[in-house]
Amino acid sequence: MQDTSGTQPIQTDALVIGAGPAGLFQVFQLGLQGIRCHVVDALPHVGGQCAQLYGDKPIYDIPGIPVCTGHELVQLLQRQVAPMDAQLHLSQQVSQLQRMDDGRWLAQTTHGLELHARSVFIAAGVGAFVPKALKVPGVELLAAGQLHYHPADLEMVRGQTAIVHGGDEEAVAAAIACADRAQATYLLYRRDAFQASAVLLERLQELRDSGAIRVVIGQITQLHADAGQLRAVQWMDGEGQEHELAAQQLVVCLGISPRLGPVAEWGLAMERKQLLVNPATQATDAPGIYAIGDIVSYPGKHKLILCGFHEATMAAFAAAEYLQGEKPLLQYTTTSARLHAILGVSHPQA
Ligand SMILES: Cc1cc2nc3c(=O)[nH]c(=O)nc-3n(C[C@H](O)[C@H](O)[C@H](O)COP(=O)(O)OP(=O)(O)OC[C@H]3O[C@@H](n4cnc5c(N)ncnc54)[C@H](O)[C@@H]3O)c2cc1C
């Protein structure tokens, strides 16, 4: 799958909202129906809960895979989905979803991306995984490019003074990465106790010992900016004393958690924060919008990856009929030359 960005409205037959296991398998099933799609996820990576909440823990109930970790399942799904050549738009939330006059759906993301989609597949799980925001006075004064939440890349701190705020694995990893690039790196957290792997903690200690990372124990109380440019971070120590630390870049890693957010505002029928669907088609009450995975409710629904896979299959068959105007034929990946062409495999005996 490719990661793309841009500002032109994108015309597509299918938009998948959410790149968790259900959304990824939706891409595969749509691909088998000859339907190309775009995928949007709030996270900077695919995999949803499997990657974000239990990447290194084992899963034992995926058919045909006796055991794999969350990360391994995501890697296998990515491999399986690769021939479908979906366009991936990460680190952005679908914030708006509205019906257009011609019956298509207009989706807008928090990065300003617009998509015009003939069909939409909501695979939003337990909600969009979004970083916990820093809520202190002064945040609103900053121009873009100085306050970064869980950034995937830290090149922007090169040659500058960077403060990393947080105490978990991602904060420690970010501080270590900053130490290689920034002129000065501070790791600011409320306690001198960091939760990270032994390897990262050992490296942090080395960098503390050498002075490449300076640890500050306290809480951020305010940001100071001149003409939109971060000048200093104000913080309070354990005795309630306020201090200022000059910096140009602030990296905030306070954790990422799921929020249902905009899905509940799109006017779709819901019950107890789940989208109501017809389990024969996964159709919601809006034409051309299907929903699958943990976000849906129907009689007998179980929040399991296996169920999300089945629902993706049901939705793809229903959407193929909706988009192509006729019931799709059931074909086997084992024997169908058409599916082999889609998958990019060759079997002369097929
Ligand atoms: C600790 C733990 C262990 C588990 N173990 C198992 C197990 O052993 N077996 C099993 O079958 N299941 C297990 N599960 C459950 C399983 O992980 C879920 O059923 C599965 O992840 C649901 O997949 P999904 O794709 O529907 O949603 P998710 O995995 O939640 O993915 C949804 C994605 O949608 C994105 N998103 C949501 N809203 C938006 C939006 N508006 N814009 C952009 N992106 C959005 C989110 O950022 C997220 O990445 C476990 C769950 C947990 C928490």
Side-chain angles (χ1 to χ4, degrees):
M1 293 208 287
Q2 298 172 21
D3 191 357
T4 61
S5 57
T7 50
Q8 292 299 310
I10 290 167
Q11 315 296 326
T12 181
D13 280 336
L15 163 65
V16 178
I17 302 174
L24 290 175
F25 200 63
Q26 186 68 75
V27 172
F28 181 74
Q29 285 295 335
L30 287 171
L32 290 184
Q33 297 295 341
I35 301 166
R36 289 277 182 90
C37 57
H38 285 253
V39 184
V40 180
D41 201 296
L43 283 170
H45 54 76
V46 301
Q49 294 173 54
C50 300
Q52 190 60 35
L53 299 183
Y54 58 100
D56 297 321
K57 292 202 165 61
I59 309 173
Y60 297 99
D61 57 352
I62 304 299
I65 305 177
V67 60
C68 68
T69 65
H71 283 313
E72 284 165 349
L73 178 63
V74 175
Q75 279 163 12
L76 288 169
L77 282 167
Q78 282 182 279
R79 218 174 95 199
Q80 190 168 30
V81 159
M84 306 315 177
D85 208 20
Q87 303 289 297
L88 193 56
H89 311 276
L90 293 174
S91 301
Q92 51 198 308
Q93 218 178 322
V94 175
S95 48
Q96 310 259 358
L97 188 63
Q98 287 161 351
R99 191 132 199 244
M100 297 165 65
D101 290 342
D102 62 7
R104 292 182 300 160
W105 292 92
L106 163 65
Q108 288 170 306
T109 76
T110 44
H111 274 22
L113 194 70
E114 270 194 16
L115 299 106
H116 298 173
R118 292 180 65 209
S119 62
V120 177
F121 300 80
I122 302 176
V126 284
F129 281 97
V130 286
K132 191 169 172 210
L134 179 67
K135 289 182 182 152
V136 295
V139 167
E140 72 288 353
L141 302 176
L142 296 185
Q146 302 161 84
L147 170 58
H148 313 272
Y149 290 104
H150 293 262
D153 177 46
L154 285 151
E155 205 45 41
M156 68 283 186
V157 306
R158 189 167 291 282
Q160 306 200 31
T161 298
I163 298 176
V164 177
H165 181 37
D168 67 2
E169 176 110 8
E170 288 195 52
V172 172
I176 291 170
C178 284
D180 270 351
R181 299 168 173 84
Q183 188 195 45
T185 300
Y186 295 90
L187 178 56
L188 193 160
Y189 189 48
R190 60 190 157 79
R191 295 189 296 140
D192 193 355
F194 297 93
Q195 295 204 325
S197 66
V199 177
L200 283 184
L201 290 176
E202 201 177 313
R203 181 70 186 135
L204 174 63
Q205 194 55 52
E206 284 168 10
L207 292 166
R208 286 178 76 166
D209 292 345
S210 72
I213 292 179
R214 276 166 272 184
V215 170
V216 176
I217 308 303
Q219 309 224 39
I220 296 182
T221 52
Q222 192 169 350
L223 303 185
H224 298 284
D226 291 332
Q229 301 302 307
L230 179 65
R231 173 172 52 79
V233 168
Q234 187 172 324
W235 62 279
M236 187 173 66
D237 65 23
E239 274 80 52
Q241 297 291 317
E242 297 276 345
H243 309 263
E244 270 188 28
L245 194 53
Q248 291 92 47
Q249 295 287 335
L250 178 58
V251 174
V252 175
C253 300
L254 292 175
I256 293 182
S257 52
R259 274 200 218 113
L260 187 60
V263 176
E265 291 153 23
W266 295 337
L268 301 167
M270 297 190 87
E271 193 179 82
R272 282 190 241 117
K273 298 188 177 175
Q274 313 293 131
L275 291 168
L276 292 173
V277 294
N278 172 355
T281 58
Q282 297 303 127
T284 65
D285 63 333
I289 301 191
Y290 304 84
I292 61 165
D294 278 12
I295 190 75
V296 303
S297 174
Y298 55 80
K301 165 68 185 170
H302 296 294
K303 289 189 181 183
L304 286 170
I305 296 165
L306 165 69
C307 299
F309 290 166
H310 164 77
E311 291 152 13
T313 311
M314 301 301 277
F317 271 87
E321 187 172 350
Y322 175 79
L323 293 171
Q324 294 160 357
E326 55 184 341
K327 240 184 182 27
L329 286 176
L330 176 70
Q331 296 185 31
Y332 294 133
T333 55
T334 319
T335 49
S336 162
R338 180 179 155 270
L339 297 185
H340 289 165
I342 289 172
L343 292 166
V345 294
S346 66
H347 290 275
Q349 74 277 20

